[in-house]
Amino acid sequence: MDPDNLIARYDGVRARPDKRETLAPDRWESARTREQNETSWGVGALVETDAGVLLVRQGDKWFLPGGMHEHGETHAEGAAREVREETGVTVEITDLLAITEQTFVHAEDGREFAFRFATFRGEPTDTTLAANPGIEGETIDDVAWRETLPDNTFDRELVTRLRDLSSYAKRHHQPYAIGTCRQRAGAGA
């Protein structure tokens, strides 16, 4: 699905312009193989409670829960599935918050492919964390409700901005739509 078509389904989406990252040949091939087997989209969700924001740790980085969008599911269904698989928390997806685009470049021959990630807002219907997070073959070292974002949070600036907007909407009793802050790819994030 084209990012503009997904953006059009929701009000108040933030989009970050295309970022480029050069990958070593083995990492590029691994990422490209995964992307070809799926939909070239990743999906995840910002999930918050009074206890904090839901994060998963893989290696030395914290992430919003998320992963590959699968054929036959909507992007929102994929985000809810990924949150449940990685954390044990069941969510209802309420809004599309951001679309980010990433172009991966092969370090030796310059080949490239684009990958997109849709971040939704998920309202938890159950906040119990899984004792063994993730699915078979997935390396999730920890899952936690964090009051503050660790310094080593992936895409920390975007997650911080989305949390700030969410907090503002709640304080002013407004629906969680950030249409007044809407930005399209190429316009900055």
Side-chain angles (χ1 to χ4, degrees):
M1 173 179 285
D2 179 85
D4 286 334
N5 290 338
L6 186 58
I7 289 170
R9 292 181 180 188
Y10 297 86
D11 185 30
V13 176
R14 298 185 68 80
R16 180 181 66 202
D18 186 27
K19 280 180 60 176
R20 300 176 69 77
E21 183 176 348
T22 301
L23 298 177
D26 60 331
R27 287 191 60 219
W28 190 92
E29 292 296 340
S30 174
R32 180 66 174 158
T33 299
R34 255 185 104 184
E35 182 266 344
Q36 288 176 326
N37 292 335
E38 300 295 340
T39 66
S40 72
W41 278 89
V43 291
L46 172 71
V47 182
E48 295 181 286
T49 67
D50 291 339
V53 61
L54 182 61
L55 296 174
V56 299
R57 185 174 55 79
Q58 293 179 290
D60 65 348
K61 285 260 190 214
W62 288 94
F63 297 85
L64 292 177
M68 295 299 292
H69 172 250
E70 296 178 358
H71 292 285
E73 66 185 1
T74 68
H75 291 77
E77 289 168 343
R81 174 188 48 76
E82 283 291 339
V83 171
R84 187 180 59 257
E85 287 178 356
E86 292 191 350
T87 69
V89 174
T90 304
V91 297
E92 177 185 333
I93 299 299
T94 59
D95 297 295
L96 174 64
L97 303 178
I99 292 179
T100 55
E101 297 181 78
Q102 178 88 42
T103 298
F104 295 104
V105 181
H106 191 286
E108 293 180 358
D109 64 20
R111 287 180 290 161
E112 359 181 291
F113 71 92
F115 182 79
R116 296 164 185 93
F117 197 93
T119 303
F120 290 86
R121 173 156 180 78
E123 291 292 335
T125 58
D126 173 22
T127 60
T128 305
L129 300 176
N132 293 318
I135 58 174
E136 186 177 331
E138 193 168 36
T139 310
I140 295 179
D141 300 307
D142 195 10
V143 58
W145 294 102
R146 301 289 305 251
E147 284 187 38
T148 59
L149 288 179
D151 289 339
N152 58 339
T153 300
F154 178 78
D155 220 345
R156 189 175 192 278
E157 182 181 331
L158 178 63
V159 175
T160 298
R161 291 170 73 182
L162 293 175
R163 289 188 78 201
D164 289 347
L165 290 167
S166 174
S167 176
Y168 175 86
K170 287 178 184 176
R171 280 194 319 267
H172 291 88
H173 306 287
Q174 296 177 354
Y176 190 83
I178 52 177
T180 56
C181 300
R182 185 181 192 122
Q183 295 183 357
R184 294 279 182 169

